Amino acid sequence: MKKLLIASTALVMVAGAAAAEVKLSGDARMGAVYDSEDWNFSSRARVQFTLSGTTDSGLEFGAKFRTSDIRNAEDPRNGNRGTVFLSGAFGKITMGDIASASEELFGDLADVGYLGDDQGTAKFGGTNAIPYLTLDNETTSGLMYTYSAGAFSVAAAMTDGHGYGSVAAGTFEADTQSYSVAAAYTFGNYTVGLGHEILDRDGAGLDMSQTELAGMAKFGNTDVKGYYAIGGDENPVDDAIGLSVASAFGATTVKGYVQKVDFVAAGVDSVTWYGLGADYDLGGGAILAAGIQDDDVDGSDPVANMGVKFKF
């Protein structure tokens, strides 16, 4: 009887594990950062919880958040950090700290250095991140829908209009709502996509829009990505363009990007910024990375970083 109970308990645990699962993973980094004046040490470690499950009818659901997301009033309990999803044959519905539809399908340009987009250029603050109009590094709870059928992918995202931005970062705006839609088509090693974003800032009396055209290609061990964006309504960005290339040579990957933004306001110059870096895969989830970035703003000097990043 005792052996039967133990066996029954084990079967129940295995069956439960197949239906619902909680995984722990993480990332960390350590190195040195040059801010155009001094070198400083910089390190970080994060743990990520990934929750997943499947209903009796085959619907998949789950959630994802990091321990570093639990802070102030903006954390997974309020939908401002982390994401929750439900997916099936109808597509995937995600709520929480989502990206715009355009960013979801196109992503950003190749990052350089071990800090990625956590270090910007000295004057403009430019990184490899494409300057999307909505939900770009904002702490706002939103709703996203994605669907893929063969070579086609579509996405749509929006916020609920009760507030937009981060209270902690000082970017919160009441009576502001964002909308975005995007579509992409993949043929062979090539992908083209088109996206449109709207930021309805009723509280500030401003309406902004932006349209992005993106293209991605793979040539052997080389990945190329480019985009063109044009602003509309009261968007301060007139247009923007960017290109990145990443090529792998064995364990070494060399990466670079360049972006340029033209602004609408009279007397405001366009800004061009760029970055170059290299990664060396040490194996086991460890990568040695270094990068340098700069912009053409008067008085700006290069910034750089080098260190090791880890995946667990």
Side-chain angles (χ1 to χ4, degrees), residues 121-127 227 239-243 257-263 269-275 293-298 300:
T121 58
K123 293 294 185 179
F124 182 66
T127 69
Y227 77 92
D239 58 23
I241 190 170
L243 176 71
Y257 75 85
V258 60
Q259 299 196 71
K260 180 182 179 181
V261 171
D262 291 311
F263 295 98
D269 295 330
S270 63
V271 177
T272 300
W273 68 101
Y274 38 86
Q293 301 178 100
D294 199 5
D295 58 47
D296 65 354
V297 177
D298 290 342
S300 183

Side-chain angles (χ1 to χ4, degrees), residues 5 13 18 22 24 31 33 51 57 62 64 77 79 91 108 118 134 138 147 157 207 226 268 274 289-290:
L5 288 174
M13 291 178 66
V22 177
L24 281 178
V33 180
L51 296 71
S57 60
K64 182 185 296 184
R77 294 169 297 180
D108 289 313
D118 283 340
T134 64
E138 293 287 353
Y147 180 79
D207 292 324
V268 179
Y274 38 86

Side-chain angles (χ1 to χ4, degrees), residues 8 87 94 103 115 145 165 222 231 245 249 267 282 289 291 296 308:
S8 301
S87 65
T94 305
E103 185 172 10
L115 291 182
Y145 171 75
T222 299
V245 179
F249 306 91
L282 300 171
D296 65 354
V308 188

Side-chain angles (χ1 to χ4, degrees), residues 26-289:
D27 62 79
R29 67 191 187 196
M30 57 185 294
V33 180
Y34 180 67
D35 62 4
S36 79
E37 294 182 357
D38 299 301
W39 282 95
N40 300 283
F41 297 133
S42 177
S43 64
R44 182 183 72 182
R46 301 183 297 186
V47 174
Q48 179 169 285
F49 292 85
T50 302
L51 296 71
S52 62
T54 305
T55 68
D56 293 342
S57 60
L59 294 177
E60 296 181 352
F61 58 92
K64 182 185 296 184
F65 65 93
R66 298 189 182 102
T67 51
S68 57
D69 291 335
I70 304 173
R71 56 190 180 190
N72 302 321
E74 297 171 348
D75 63 32
R77 294 169 297 180
N78 298 319
N80 299 108
R81 296 280 184 175
T83 55
V84 182
F85 76 88
L86 176 68
S87 65
F90 57 85
K92 183 177 182 180
I93 298 173
T94 305
M95 293 188 70
D97 186 16
I98 60 171
S100 69
S102 298
E103 185 172 10
E104 178 70 15
L105 295 188
F106 312 147
D108 289 313
L109 300 182
D111 63 343
V112 299
Y114 87 103
L115 291 182
D117 63 3
D118 283 340
Q119 182 186 30
T121 58
K123 293 294 185 179
F124 182 66
T127 69
N128 65 293
I130 295 175
Y132 295 107
L133 176 63
T134 64
L135 293 170
D136 194 10
N137 295 321
E138 293 287 353
T139 307
T140 299
S141 181
L143 170 68
M144 174 176 288
Y145 171 75
T146 53
Y147 180 79
S148 295
F152 289 94
S153 298
V154 295
M158 65 178 295
T159 58
D160 58 19
H162 290 292
Y164 181 89
S166 168
V167 175
T171 60
F172 180 81
E173 291 186 7
D175 300 320
T176 295
Q177 190 165 14
S178 68
Y179 313 86
S180 59
V181 293
Y185 177 72
T186 299
F187 50 103
N189 294 329
Y190 306 92
T191 300
V192 293
L194 183 67
H196 185 68
E197 303 176 78
I198 296 174
L199 187 61
D200 188 1
R201 302 175 62 191
D202 283 347
L206 296 172
D207 292 324
M208 301 180 180
S209 64
Q210 184 168 294
T211 302
E212 300 98 5
L213 174 65
M216 292 152 276
K218 187 174 184 64
F219 307 96
N221 294 325
T222 299
D223 294 312
V224 179
K225 181 182 292 187
Y227 77 92
Y228 175 72
I230 183 168
D233 300 315
E234 286 87 10
N235 190 342
V237 172
D238 187 17
D239 58 23
I241 190 170
L243 176 71
S244 72
V245 179
S247 294
F249 306 91
T252 302
T253 301
V254 179
K255 301 181 285 186
Y257 75 85
V258 60
Q259 299 196 71
K260 180 182 179 181
V261 171
D262 291 311
F263 295 98
V264 175
V268 179
D269 295 330
S270 63
V271 177
T272 300
W273 68 101
Y274 38 86
L276 180 65
D279 293 354
Y280 182 77
D281 192 344
L282 300 171
I287 295 176
L288 179 65

